[in-house]
């Protein structure tokens, strides 16, 4: 018996060991089979991080897993990842896999991210199947068939995005879980489907028709897999808790989808309709007391091909005598009446007729009504509607729980619209009926996202077909105040067809504290420890064309204080243009012209020209991070300067300049700049053995410089240091390495001290000697070297000069001696001449005769 047990245990152990070892034996073959199948089927870049096989996970089948599977498109979609899959798992028939076939029994997709895109030219990024060639002869002896014997398809925690740029449609599914089971190898079968979506968003023409909707589906589906027709048998579907019932079928045809589907709300109370409202707007819905009746139904019938070939569809929604009240709040929303109909007989989207015949509710004693009728939305959007009433936001807060939101104020509105887009395009505004007003008074709003709060004491808009007149807008956000008035034009084109919204506005503020908007709110409870949050690039809308004549009394931006700012600011085509914006700042005055450009959000940039006068250098150095990056020595400088220079650079995501793209240049002038205790000065003082260089005052400065791709070149310029003329020039690079030369006169004592360190002997008295100071290394760790070659050259000149003087003295003395000797000899020779003697005697006789 013991022997038998040992044998059985040995066989079991052997089988278990075999189950562990066999996958390694077949791994290479199956992985090769998978790669061949993928490459045979798709025209895309497919990759994965790891591949594994196991008998134990799905015995008696073999389980294959791909981790980190990605599918990236080609051509115009080569930058888009179609699929990014955390785990892709297949259960395969082991015997078929050994023989070179693939029979799939179960599929698991975990943490899949799918981004499906239809481009403006109708190309789809999922169209990656390789085209078949009818003339191609298929070698069946080398091609491994793939057989689907699927019993289970499971999708876990996945994310799907669908973007159709041909019709401005976008849908996002987050948190998708699907459990599909049934015999998918049979021609006719019944499938059980369980699916959940944590959040569903559907947007069309920039309008979000569904936003954050949850979906819960449990359904039986009759599947005709030969004809790909799927029929709803029993289903229980909930949209945000609203129970819906679907009936009919969906057929997957070669070039279309055949739809014959009806749907209707399974319950008829108003509360079930409120389930469609996202939870962030209506919380704790189960506690809300409601009344009223709901009717919701619709259908889709026909083939869907594209937006020009749609099935007929209909949606009808009716709410009668609805009301809602939260048990802990004093007021309710009453007399809710809604009649909405959407109909299309089939064909184009342009045939859609939308009628919001009635939208009425009462909040407190204030009724509010709206209606809207829209036809031919594509060819010529035709509209008729209006709204009228008062919304007391104080009462709204008493009827709907606001949590951390505090809102107050009164909205009064009376607006009517009647016309079509053709009238707008032709600027036939006289034919358009558009009139009314919207007023906002005593408004205030506070939330966690806006803790400083916003108040609007008054705001009034007068509506005409041609423009909206902003008669007044007086507001305050935290410590900052804003006043606006002017006109907003082309608003109908902007709202109806994504036209450009134009405006000419006058803006004034006595004080703007932008630091309130830059503060990290997570540290709001500890003000002393607050840090400013990182800035981010803000995209300027391309469909905005505003011209603001602006006047700001004072503006605080980080450490920068600006006063008396006046000028014209234009927001246009993705750019903010500043035209001669004058201001007092940095201790002086500054005029700024240029642009902040986000037309290409992959390469946002700034391009400015500055003219500054009497600017304080210390304040400037401590106000801009780019100065600290490119010229840290400026923080140790004192003085005032005038400047005329240009600056441009690309911007990083945190709004900081991309240093290698910084370009510009100009001229900076100053009467005097004082530098104290920089590393350069410390090393210079040590080299010259004189601490006076730890404080250097340069006078009469005019610096001409150029910045190219972050590298700075300073042209030679003269200045006075300790009252003596010095010359400075050089360059620095993006890596902060530098090569500057300062040529200046130093005293004999300083030269003697420096030369002594090199073993040279220089007299300590005499005139100053010009030296070259070479400054290399980096901005933060400079290397200073006094070039003694100029000193030795100067001494050599002086020695030559002294030697020449000595030589001259000797030569002069010898010449004088030679001349004297020559003179005496000449006289002696002359006196010996007989003729000279005779003439001399004749002269003497004559002289005696005279006296």
């Amino acid at each position: 018996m013991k022997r038998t047990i040992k044998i059985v245990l040995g066989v079991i152990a052997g089988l278990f060991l075999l189950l562990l070892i066999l996958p390694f034996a077949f791994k290479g073959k199956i992985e090769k089979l998978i790669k061949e199948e993928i490459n045979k089927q798709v025209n895309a870049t497919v990759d994965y991080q790891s591949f594994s096989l196991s008998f134990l996970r799905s015995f008696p089948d073999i389980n294959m897993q791909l981790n980190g599977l990605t599918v990236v498109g080609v051509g115009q979609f080569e930058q888009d990842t179609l699929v990014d899959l955390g785990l892709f798992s297949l259960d395969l028939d082991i015997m078929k896999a050994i023989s070179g076939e693939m029979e799939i029994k179960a599929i698991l997709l975990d943490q899949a991210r799918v981004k499906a895109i239809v481009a403006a030219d109708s190309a789809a990024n999922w169209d990656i199947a390789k085209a078949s060639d009818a003339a191609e002869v298929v070698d069946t002896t080398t091609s491994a068939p793939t057989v689907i014997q699927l019993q289970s398809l499971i999708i876990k925690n996945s994310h799907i995005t669908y973007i159709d740029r041909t019709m401005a449609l976008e849908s996002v599914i987050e948190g998708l879980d699907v459990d599909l089971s049934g015999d998918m190898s049979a021609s006719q079968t019944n499938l059980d489907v369980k699916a959940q979506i944590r959040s569903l968003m559907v947007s069309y023409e920039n309008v979000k028709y569904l936003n954050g909707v949850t979906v819960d589906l449990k359904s039986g589906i009759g599947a005709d897999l030969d004809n790909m027709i799927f029929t709803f048998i029993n289903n229980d579907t909930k949209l945000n808790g609203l129970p819906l019932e679907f009936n009919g079928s969906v057929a997957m045809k070669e070039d279309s989808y055949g739809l014959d589907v009806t749907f209707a709300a399974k319950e008829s109370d108003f509360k079930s309709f409120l389930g469609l409202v996202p939870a962030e707007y209506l919380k704790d819905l189960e506690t809300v007391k409601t009344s009223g009746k709901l009717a919701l139904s619709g259908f889709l019938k026909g083939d869907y091909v594209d937006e020009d070939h749609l099935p007929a569809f209909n949606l009808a929604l009716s709410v009668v005598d609805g009301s809602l009240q939260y048990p802990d709040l004093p007021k309710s929303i009453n007399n809710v009446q809604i009649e909405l109909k959407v109909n299309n007989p089939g064909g184009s989207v342009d045939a859609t007729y939308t009628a919001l015949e009635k939208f009425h509710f009462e909040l407190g004693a204030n009724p509010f009504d709206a209606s809207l009728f829209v036809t031919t939305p594509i060819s010529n959007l035709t509209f008729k509607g209006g709204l009228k009433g008062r919304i007391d936001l104080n009462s709204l807060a008493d009827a709907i729980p606001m949590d951390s939101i505090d809102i107050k104020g009164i909205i009064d509105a009376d607006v009517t619209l009647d016309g079509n887009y053709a009238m707008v395009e032709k600027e036939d505004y006289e034919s358009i009926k558009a009139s009314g007003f919207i007023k906002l008074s005593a408004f205030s709003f506070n939330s966690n996202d806006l803790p400083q709060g916003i108040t609007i004491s008054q705001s009034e808009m007068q509506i005409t077909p041609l423009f909206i007149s902003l008669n007044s807008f007086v507001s305050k956000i935290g410590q900052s105040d804003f006043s606006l008035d002017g006109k907003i034009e082309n608003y109908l084109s902007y709202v109806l067809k994504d036209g450009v919204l134009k405006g000419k506005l006058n803006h004034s503020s006595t004080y703007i504290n932008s630091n309130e908007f830059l503060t990290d709110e997570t540290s709001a409870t500890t003000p002393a420890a607050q840090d400013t949050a990182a800035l981010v690039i803000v995209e300027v809308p391309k469909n905005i064309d505003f011209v603001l004549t602006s006047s700001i009394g004072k503006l605080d931006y980080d450490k920068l204080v600006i006063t008396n700012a006046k000028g014209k600011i234009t927001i246009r085509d993705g750019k903010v243009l500043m035209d001669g914006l004058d201001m007092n700042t940095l201790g002086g005055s500054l005029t700024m012209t240029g642009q902040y450009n986000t037309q290409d959000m992959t390469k946002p940039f700034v391009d400015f020209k500055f003219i500054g006068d009497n600017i304080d250098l210390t304040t400037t150095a401590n106000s801009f991070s780019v100065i600290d990056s490119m010229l840290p020595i400026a923080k140790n400088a004192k003085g005032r300067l005038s400047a005329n220079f240009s600056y441009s650079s690309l911007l990083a995501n945190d709004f900081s300049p991309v240093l290698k793209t910084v370009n510009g240049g100009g001229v900076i002038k100053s009467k005097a700049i004082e530098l104290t205790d920089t590393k350069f000065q410390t090393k210079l003082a040590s080299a010259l053995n004189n601490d006076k260089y730890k404080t250097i005052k340069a006078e009469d400065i005019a610096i001409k410089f150029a910045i190219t791709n972050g590298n700075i070149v300073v042209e030679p310029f003269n200045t006075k240091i300790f009252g003596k003329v010095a010359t400075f020039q050089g360059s620095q690079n993006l890596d902060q390495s530098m090569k500057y030369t300062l040529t200046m006169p130093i005293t004999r004592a300083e030269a003697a001290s420096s030369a002594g360190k090199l073993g040279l002997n220089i007299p300590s008295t005499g005139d100053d000697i010009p030296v070259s100071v070479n400054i290399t290394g980096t901005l933060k760790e400079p290397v200073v070297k006094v070039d003694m070659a100029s000193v030795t050259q100067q001494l050599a000149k002086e020695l030559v000069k002294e030697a020449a003087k000595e030589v001259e003295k000797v030569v002069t003395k010898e010449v004088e001696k030679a001349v004297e000797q020559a003179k005496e000899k000449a006289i002696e020779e002359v006196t010996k001449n007989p003729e000279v003697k005779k003439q001399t005697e004749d002269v003497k006789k004559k002289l005696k005769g005279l006296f």
Side-chain angles (χ1 to χ4, degrees):
M1 184 64 180
K2 290 182 179 179
R3 179 177 175 83
T4 302
I5 293 174
K6 287 182 179 180
I7 293 173
V8 171
L9 292 176
V11 171
I12 293 174
L15 288 173
F16 184 76
L17 185 61
L18 189 64
L19 291 176
L20 292 176
I21 293 175
L22 277 177
F24 293 98
F26 298 113
K27 179 179 178 182
K29 185 174 183 179
I30 294 179
E31 184 175 9
K32 181 181 177 182
L33 190 65
I34 294 293
K35 286 184 176 180
E36 289 177 351
E37 190 67 24
I38 291 174
N39 291 325
K40 185 175 69 175
Q41 298 293 340
V42 303
N43 185 22
T45 302
V46 181
D47 196 9
Y48 52 85
Q49 295 176 356
S50 64
F51 173 85
S52 65
L53 292 175
S54 173
F55 275 120
L56 301 180
R57 285 193 290 257
S58 58
F59 187 80
D61 297 317
I62 189 167
N63 176 259
M64 180 215 76
Q65 291 189 355
L66 293 175
N67 290 283
L69 175 68
T70 58
V71 181
V72 179
V74 294
Q76 64 177 304
F77 300 111
E78 62 183 359
Q79 301 299 323
D80 297 311
T81 300
L82 173 61
V83 177
D84 186 348
L85 185 54
L87 173 64
F88 175 56
S89 174
L90 296 177
D91 287 347
L92 306 171
D93 186 300
I94 180 58
M95 299 309 297
K96 294 291 180 66
I98 293 173
S99 65
E101 298 180 4
M102 290 181 60
E103 183 173 295
I104 302 172
K105 292 187 175 182
I107 297 176
L108 168 64
L109 308 177
D110 191 6
Q111 298 186 53
R113 298 187 69 86
V114 179
K115 188 174 184 179
I117 301 173
V118 179
D121 61 358
S122 297
N125 72 333
W126 65 84
D127 187 12
I128 59 176
K130 288 186 176 179
S132 60
D133 189 346
E136 182 181 354
V137 178
V138 179
D139 185 1
T140 57
T141 63
T142 60
S143 178
T146 300
V147 180
I148 305 295
Q149 296 286 342
L150 203 58
Q151 306 293 322
S152 173
L153 171 63
I154 296 175
I155 301 173
K156 293 183 178 180
N157 192 24
S158 294
H159 181 111
I160 299 176
T161 299
Y162 174 76
I163 300 173
D164 189 338
R165 296 191 175 116
T166 64
M167 53 191 304
L169 175 66
E170 181 176 357
S171 178
V172 178
I173 296 173
E174 295 181 354
L176 172 65
D177 292 307
V178 177
D179 188 342
L180 174 63
S181 61
D183 185 1
M184 283 165 262
S185 63
S187 297
Q188 302 283 338
T189 187
N190 290 335
L191 304 176
D192 290 326
V193 181
K194 296 179 182 179
Q196 289 183 329
I197 297 175
R198 185 174 66 247
S199 176
L200 170 64
M201 187 280 292
V202 177
S203 170
Y204 178 69
E205 294 286 349
N206 295 320
V207 177
K208 291 184 178 180
Y209 291 92
L210 297 176
N211 188 22
V213 173
T214 61
V215 179
D216 192 343
L217 169 66
K218 295 179 182 178
S219 177
I221 296 178
D224 178 355
L225 296 178
D226 286 342
N227 298 302
M228 295 301 287
I229 299 174
F230 302 90
T231 305
F232 292 102
I233 300 175
N234 294 303
N235 63 85
D236 181 10
T237 303
K238 292 182 180 179
L239 298 180
N240 262 18
L242 173 64
L244 293 175
E245 181 176 12
F246 288 86
N247 291 293
S249 62
V250 177
M252 299 179 67
K253 301 181 179 181
E254 184 175 346
D255 56 357
S256 64
Y257 297 94
L259 302 172
D260 187 3
V261 177
T262 62
F263 60 91
K266 297 174 70 174
E267 298 179 8
S268 60
D269 61 281
F270 178 53
K271 190 171 188 175
S272 62
F273 167 71
L274 295 178
L276 286 177
V277 180
E280 61 262 33
Y281 301 117
L282 278 179
K283 300 180 183 298
D284 302 321
L285 187 60
E286 63 277 3
T287 67
V288 177
K289 180 182 177 181
T290 64
S291 64
K293 296 297 182 180
L294 165 74
L296 173 64
S297 63
F299 67 81
L300 297 101
K301 189 174 183 63
D303 288 349
Y304 171 79
V305 181
D306 52 38
E307 66 173 332
D308 294 322
H309 302 84
L310 300 176
F313 62 86
N314 170 271
L315 170 69
L317 169 66
S318 175
V319 175
V320 178
D321 299 333
S323 70
L324 67 96
Q325 183 174 17
Y326 279 84
D328 298 329
L329 295 177
K331 294 186 179 179
S332 60
I333 299 176
N334 300 309
N335 198 17
V336 179
Q337 312 287 342
I338 301 174
E339 290 292 338
L340 172 65
K341 296 176 183 177
V342 181
N343 187 66
N344 187 307
S348 170
V349 174
D350 201 41
T352 305
Y353 171 72
T354 303
L356 180 60
E357 298 175 353
K358 182 186 295 184
F359 182 83
H360 174 90
F361 68 87
E362 295 173 7
L363 180 58
N366 301 309
F368 188 88
D369 290 276
S371 62
L372 179 64
F373 300 86
V374 177
T375 59
T376 57
I378 304 301
S379 61
N380 181 23
L381 180 65
T382 302
F383 52 88
K384 181 178 182 180
L387 56 90
K388 183 177 182 180
R390 164 176 284 201
I391 299 178
D392 184 348
L393 297 175
N394 305 290
S395 298
L396 182 64
D398 288 336
I400 303 293
M402 297 294 181
D403 289 345
S404 59
I405 296 176
D406 181 16
I407 187 169
K408 296 178 182 178
I410 303 292
I411 300 174
D412 287 299
D414 188 353
V415 178
T416 59
L417 290 172
D418 189 353
N420 59 59
Y421 187 68
M423 298 176 184
V424 177
E425 282 190 314
K426 296 176 183 177
E427 297 185 357
D428 182 15
Y429 295 108
E430 292 182 357
S431 300
I432 301 174
K433 295 179 181 178
S435 62
F437 66 86
I438 300 175
K439 295 180 180 179
L440 181 62
S441 58
F443 175 82
S444 65
F445 177 87
N446 293 80
S447 70
N448 289 334
D449 295 328
L450 193 67
Q452 60 268 42
I454 177 173
T455 63
I456 301 175
S457 57
Q458 63 178 21
S459 176
E460 181 179 350
M461 293 187 296
Q462 199 73 31
I463 297 172
T464 71
L466 186 59
F467 58 83
I468 296 175
S469 177
L470 184 61
N471 297 331
S472 66
F473 182 87
V474 180
S475 70
K476 195 170 184 179
I477 304 177
Q479 301 173 21
S480 307
D481 63 271
F482 302 88
S483 294
L484 292 169
D485 64 76
K487 290 183 178 180
I488 300 173
E489 303 172 319
N490 207 43
Y491 72 94
L492 287 174
S493 175
Y494 175 78
V495 172
L496 301 177
K497 287 287 185 177
D498 294 329
V500 177
L501 184 65
K502 299 179 180 181
K504 293 182 179 179
L505 300 172
N506 300 312
H507 159 246
S508 65
S509 294
T510 58
Y511 177 55
I512 297 177
N513 182 7
S514 60
N515 293 328
E516 288 186 297
F517 313 112
L518 305 180
T519 301
D520 186 354
E521 302 301 342
T522 59
S523 60
T525 57
T526 55
Q530 281 185 355
D531 294 319
T532 55
L535 298 178
V536 294
I537 292 294
V538 177
E539 183 174 6
V540 180
K542 293 182 176 64
N543 56 351
I544 295 290
D545 187 347
F546 278 4
V547 178
L548 282 77
T549 302
S550 187
S551 174
I552 302 172
K554 181 182 178 183
L555 185 148
D556 288 341
Y557 180 86
D558 198 7
K559 300 174 183 178
L560 188 64
V561 178
I562 297 172
T563 59
N564 300 323
K566 295 181 180 180
K568 186 170 73 172
I569 301 174
T570 301
I571 304 171
R572 176 180 297 154
D573 194 25
K575 300 178 289 186
V576 176
L577 306 172
M578 301 177 188
D579 185 7
L581 194 63
D582 296 322
M583 65 192 75
N584 294 329
T585 187
L586 304 172
S589 62
L590 183 68
T591 299
M592 181 168 60
T593 301
Q595 62 173 309
Y596 164 61
N597 191 311
T598 63
Q599 288 178 315
D600 182 355
M601 278 298 289
T602 64
K603 295 180 180 179
F605 69 89
V606 292
D607 185 0
F608 291 112
K609 292 183 179 179
F610 300 91
I611 300 176
D613 184 53
N614 201 33
I615 300 296
D616 181 70
L617 188 54
T618 303
T619 306
T620 303
N622 287 280
S623 297
F624 298 102
S625 60
V626 68
I627 293 179
D628 188 39
S629 300
M630 302 185 71
L631 200 63
I633 195 174
K635 286 193 172 182
N636 296 75
K638 295 180 181 179
R640 291 186 173 272
L641 53 85
S642 61
N644 189 336
F645 68 94
S646 61
Y647 170 90
S648 67
S649 79
L650 294 179
L651 297 174
N653 289 334
D654 63 354
F655 213 81
S656 63
V658 180
L659 293 181
K660 66 180 180 181
T661 67
V662 174
N663 291 281
V667 178
I668 296 176
K669 296 180 179 181
S670 178
K671 292 182 179 179
I673 293 177
E674 184 177 291
L675 284 174
T676 305
D677 286 335
T678 64
K679 288 186 177 181
F680 150 69
Q681 291 172 274
T682 301
K683 294 182 178 182
L684 179 62
S686 175
L688 297 177
N689 197 27
N690 194 333
D691 284 347
K692 76 174 185 179
Y693 290 100
K694 290 184 178 180
T695 300
I696 296 177
K697 187 175 183 180
E699 300 177 303
D700 300 329
I701 302 169
I703 306 171
K704 188 175 182 180
F705 68 98
I707 307 175
T708 305
N709 297 331
N711 302 314
I712 302 175
V713 176
V714 178
E715 295 185 10
F717 69 92
N718 292 333
T719 183
K720 287 184 179 180
I721 297 178
F722 300 115
K724 302 172 184 179
V725 176
T727 302
F728 188 84
Q729 63 181 319
S731 63
Q732 68 184 56
N733 297 323
L734 188 63
D735 60 2
Q736 293 199 336
S737 64
M738 58 181 174
K739 188 177 181 180
Y740 287 112
T741 300
L742 172 62
T743 303
M744 65 179 185
I746 63 174
T747 65
R748 293 281 175 147
E750 292 166 343
S753 176
S754 297
K757 296 178 181 180
L758 301 176
L760 301 176
N761 186 16
I762 299 175
S764 60
T765 60
D767 296 334
D768 291 344
I769 299 175
V771 298
S772 293
V773 180
N774 296 321
I775 309 164
T776 58
T778 66
L779 295 172
K780 294 185 177 180
E781 292 297 334
V783 176
V784 178
K785 183 178 180 181
V786 178
D787 186 359
M788 298 306 297
S790 60
V791 176
T792 56
Q793 290 173 5
Q794 178 65 21
L795 289 175
K797 289 180 182 179
E798 292 181 0
L799 289 173
V800 170
K801 188 175 181 180
E802 290 296 324
K805 287 182 180 180
E806 293 299 324
V807 170
E808 183 180 1
K809 288 179 182 179
V810 173
V811 170
T812 301
K813 187 175 182 179
E814 290 298 322
V815 169
E816 289 176 348
K817 182 179 179 181
V819 169
E820 188 63 31
Q821 290 176 348
K823 180 179 177 183
E824 291 176 354
K825 187 176 182 180
I827 292 172
E828 181 181 352
E829 292 294 328
V830 169
T831 55
K832 290 179 180 181
N833 191 315
E835 185 63 31
V836 174
K837 285 182 177 182
K838 180 178 181 302
Q839 290 179 357
T840 303
E841 290 297 328
D842 289 343
V843 172
K844 288 180 179 179
K845 289 178 180 181
K846 289 178 181 180
L847 289 174
K848 287 181 179 181
L850 291 174
F851 296 98

